[in-house]
Amino acid sequence: MTSASFAELDALETEQLRERAFAKAREQRDVSFFWSVFKHLPDSDEASALDGAPNSVGPTIDEAVALWRELTGHHYGEQEPLLRAAFIDYLQR
């Protein structure tokens, strides 16, 4: 499977990038990727209070991001460029 080019990934919306990166990280059980993204989300201190078993980190992270987006009007705010870059970088590895 060939990875998408930077231009192809950069043309996607941030939410599409997130979905693809999260799917890849769940498949690879890459907790460190989720943690790195989680640390850059606004209000990550409140979101980190969510409790979940280690084997359910994908759904827990998805739920935390969904909750955060719902509470903040569905925007990534000032962190969007950083998160887009992280998603694209991860998808190209």
Side-chain angles (χ1 to χ4, degrees):
M1 175 196 246
T2 58
S3 64
S5 71
F6 175 82
E8 291 170 326
L9 293 171
D10 194 42
L12 297 174
E13 293 180 11
T14 303
E15 185 58 20
Q16 292 172 307
L17 290 171
R18 185 201 66 79
E19 289 172 2
R20 288 183 182 199
F22 276 29
K24 179 180 177 179
R26 274 193 304 272
E27 180 180 302
Q28 296 180 357
R29 301 186 194 287
D30 189 351
V31 176
S32 64
F33 171 74
F34 287 119
W35 186 247
S36 70
V37 169
F38 212 39
K39 291 189 308 184
H40 290 97
L41 293 175
D43 302 323
S44 62
D45 292 336
E46 288 95 18
S48 65
L50 291 174
D51 189 24
N55 62 347
S56 65
V57 71
T60 300
I61 297 294
D62 287 343
E63 290 165 7
V65 170
L67 175 61
W68 166 76
R69 289 184 71 222
E70 185 174 326
L71 294 173
T72 60
H74 306 288
H75 298 288
Y76 291 99
E78 295 175 4
Q79 298 301 326
E80 185 168 359
L82 178 66
L83 290 167
R84 284 185 61 80
F87 297 152
I88 290 170
D89 178 63
Y90 190 71
L91 290 168
Q92 289 191 305
R93 287 191 226 159

